Amino acid sequence: MKILVTGGAGYIGSHTCVELLNAGYEIVVLDNFYNSCAESLNRIKELTGKDFKFYECDIRDRDGLEKIFAENNIDAVIHFAGLKAVGESVQKPLEYYENNVGGTITLCEAMRDAGCKKIVFSSSATVYGMNNPSPLKETMQIGGTTNPYGTTKYMIELILQDLYVSDKDWSITILRYFNPIGAHESGRIGENPNGIPNNLMPYVTQVAVGKLSCLSVFGDDYDTHDGTGVRDYIHVVDLALGHIKAVEKVASCTGVNIYNLGTGNGYSVLDIVKAVEKASGVKVNYKIVPRRPGDLATCYSDPSKAKAELGWVAERGIEKMCEDSWRWQKNNPKGY
Ligand code: NAD
Ligand code: WQD
């Protein structure tokens, strides 16, 4: 099978490319390098010993997409490309809707015209909004998102559902990721945030490596075991392996299938700080500051549907996640 990977130079995309190549898939990668660089592609080749075609292209570029589909016999698309910074999306809503929603529509149009109607889409736990209790299940009502980024994911899920209603040849798998952390265990590919990280793990490892001075812990008065926010952290390699199962699923049926990809376990901010200290042997300096607007106390998955229907379970625990995040950070203190 030949898979087009949009956003394949990014954090989750690069790890998924490695697992796809290792599993024997042929891949074609598309990225506009808005939030990534060509070095991640070199490292995918280095880790797998395999080559693949790359197109520097934007998912909003209809002609560029047409050319990719014309030049390659693509069987299915894994669609990672998108903007993902929650805070930035509040400042730049039009850019987020245009890139994420507009880009996905253009991609689906190009797919339809090329007769390629199998897509795996990167959604997010954020679509469950503020009103559902954890553990979160795929059957819960989605919406009530609190920022434009989350709303783009919600809107795209609705668009993909409508697409299937209009044409039953489509096979659509929507994956709702929880909190991806960790890196490939070689320490050669990993998360490479631009500027000050928004997410917890890269912030913690950058404090541990001495690049940042102090972690701000957003609130210690939540109703959780130590008062700090609880999340379902998932190793990025487990997440990548979930995409292999999802590709098998889209290849074998039509319809819309939705899966949580999480571990089902919740860890607090301070649990993560302690686990990184253990993995690195370095003390992580932190201070408690007020809550961050829009944050939930607790968010974790019920991952049982992915286990039952895809035969997928996350296997890497919190220690492994922190060891691998730390190895990547320590070996690449300036990123790629
Ligand atoms: P990332 O920023 O590392 O990767 C996204 C890639 O898409 C980047 O390489 C970027 O250059 C590319 N891109 C962005 N807009 C593009 C466009 N218009 N055309 C072509 N390429 C474009 O992010 P990631 O963490 O790997 O996330 C991948 C996907 O998973 C995103 O859709 C994101 O919203 C989703 N997701 C991420 C998380 C997370 O915490 N990392 C959680 C849930 C869902
Ligand atoms: C985790 C915990 C923070 C930073 C976001 C998106 C979500 C998904 C994953 C894409 C929370 C606390 C964080 C810091 C802290 N992305 N924290 N200090 O908010 O669960 O999810 O990324 O789809 O849509 O919203 O992840 O890593 O930002 O925060 O105390 O400097 O760490 O309050 O409890 P979040 P996160």
Side-chain angles (χ1 to χ4, degrees), residues 7 9-13 30-36 57-60 80-82 84 99 122-124 149 153 177-178 180:
Y11 173 45
I12 305 169
L30 166 172
D31 205 298
N32 67 356
F33 292 140
Y34 177 84
N35 195 37
S36 54
C57 176
D58 195 294
I59 50 168
R60 293 164 294 178
F80 293 106
K84 64 161 183 178
N99 193 79
S122 300
S123 189
S124 168
Y149 165 73
K153 294 293 176 189
Y177 312 154
F178 281 69

Side-chain angles (χ1 to χ4, degrees), residues 63-142:
D63 293 342
L65 292 175
E66 225 165 81
K67 182 170 179 284
I68 295 173
F69 282 103
E71 289 179 0
N72 302 278
N73 206 355
I74 304 289
D75 297 295
V77 176
I78 304 183
H79 176 32
F80 293 106
L83 304 179
K84 64 161 183 178
V86 170
E88 184 185 61
S89 79
V90 177
Q91 305 306 319
K92 298 180 173 175
L94 299 180
E95 283 84 346
Y96 271 67
Y97 288 115
E98 208 251 332
N99 193 79
N100 293 5
V101 181
T104 301
I105 291 172
T106 304
L107 174 68
C108 289
E109 286 171 345
M111 289 177 67
R112 177 197 59 200
D113 293 353
C116 172
K117 297 184 181 176
K118 298 180 191 306
I119 185 167
V120 176
F121 172 63
S122 300
S123 189
S124 168
T126 192
V127 300
Y128 289 109
M130 297 296 277
N131 301 321
N132 287 306
S134 289
L136 295 160
K137 292 178 80 71
E138 293 86 346
T139 47
M140 288 173 169
Q141 195 177 356
I142 61 167

Side-chain angles (χ1 to χ4, degrees), residues 124-126 128 132-140 175-179 230-235 239 259-267 296 298-307 312-314 321:
S124 168
T126 192
Y128 289 109
N132 287 306
S134 289
L136 295 160
K137 292 178 80 71
E138 293 86 346
T139 47
M140 288 173 169
L175 301 177
R176 294 179 182 156
Y177 312 154
F178 281 69
N179 289 58
V230 165
R231 297 291 181 273
D232 185 341
Y233 296 96
I234 173 167
H235 197 296
L239 197 60
Y259 301 101
N260 286 338
L261 294 185
T263 65
N265 302 314
Y267 290 96
L296 290 164
T298 300
C299 172
Y300 61 91
S301 66
D302 174 344
S304 56
K305 188 177 175 207
K307 181 179 182 187
W312 173 88
V313 181
M321 297 183 214

Side-chain angles (χ1 to χ4, degrees), residues 253-272:
C253 64
T254 57
V256 181
N257 291 288
I258 303 177
Y259 301 101
N260 286 338
L261 294 185
T263 65
N265 302 314
Y267 290 96
S268 73
V269 177
L270 294 181
D271 290 335
I272 296 294

Side-chain angles (χ1 to χ4, degrees), residues 49-61:
K50 293 189 179 162
D51 205 359
F52 52 86
K53 252 197 209 174
F54 172 72
Y55 291 86
E56 186 168 345
C57 176
D58 195 294
I59 50 168
R60 293 164 294 178
D61 172 2

